[in-house]
Amino acid sequence: MAHCEYTSPLGVLMLVASDKGLTGVWWPDDARMANLGDADPDHPVLQQAARELDEYFAGERTQFDVPLDPVGTDFQRAAWQVLRGINYATTISYAEQARRLGDPNKARAVGAANGRNPLSIIVPCHRVIGSSGSLTGFAGGVETKQWLLEFERGHAARTVDV
């Protein structure tokens, strides 16, 4: 395991990687930040993640290619895989995410799995909202979730206009 700090427009994030891929993108004070390994900003996975996040925040990247190695249950990993299929600058509800997993009655379980997502932004749980359109929990805070959604919509609109 290796880690490095990444300075984003939203503050400093901690990037964590194994030899297989990125295992975490952690917000400050996240209680789950454990076993960070050695500080190693030269780790190739961490360098790729930082480069791709730079491109994302510059409005130049809408999908991430960095290899991922998240730790979670089979259900959590399945829920996170659905998150990766949500298009940039769009949202779906927890119920829709549950439907895409094959059981529309598991919206609460999906919400819990999203709450355990260790790869914020890269695995875009910020794109999941309440059925009423309300913004609900997010590890970085609801204000951060709103910022990310507005940021993506703004960049998507510019891309279409060009």
Side-chain angles (χ1 to χ4, degrees):
M1 300 295 284
H3 73 276
C4 71
E5 289 186 347
Y6 173 77
T7 303
S8 80
L10 299 165
V12 176
L13 302 172
M14 186 67 67
L15 306 181
V16 184
S18 69
D19 289 335
K20 294 180 188 176
L22 195 65
T23 62
V25 176
W26 300 109
W27 299 95
D29 303 322
D30 193 309
R32 298 175 294 171
M33 245 191 310
N35 188 23
L36 297 178
D38 297 327
D40 183 4
D42 296 324
H43 188 286
V45 171
L46 297 175
Q47 285 186 335
Q48 181 179 352
R51 182 176 57 256
E52 291 184 14
L53 283 165
D54 284 344
E55 293 166 356
Y56 170 83
F57 285 116
E60 300 165 354
R61 176 176 287 277
T62 60
Q63 295 181 1
F64 293 91
D65 299 317
V66 63
L68 305 179
D69 187 24
V71 175
T73 66
D74 289 343
F75 180 79
Q76 288 169 334
R77 286 194 307 273
W80 301 335
Q81 189 61 39
V82 171
L83 294 174
R84 296 191 70 202
I86 304 171
N87 291 332
Y88 182 83
T90 63
T91 58
I92 65 170
S93 68
Y94 293 95
E96 173 60 19
Q97 184 181 0
R99 188 195 64 71
R100 291 181 185 186
L101 273 171
D103 189 344
N105 296 318
K106 290 199 173 185
R108 286 188 189 270
V110 160
N114 290 359
R116 301 291 300 163
N117 174 18
L119 295 161
S120 282
I121 303 170
I122 291 176
V123 174
C125 56
H126 62 276
R127 296 180 190 153
V128 181
I129 60 174
S131 294
S132 67
S134 62
L135 299 185
T136 56
F138 181 66
V142 173
E143 300 82 15
T144 300
K145 184 174 190 168
Q146 181 173 0
W147 187 96
L148 288 165
L149 292 172
E150 289 174 3
F151 170 81
E152 289 183 3
R153 288 179 187 132
H155 281 280
R158 282 189 212 117
T159 302
V160 170
D161 292 341
V162 174

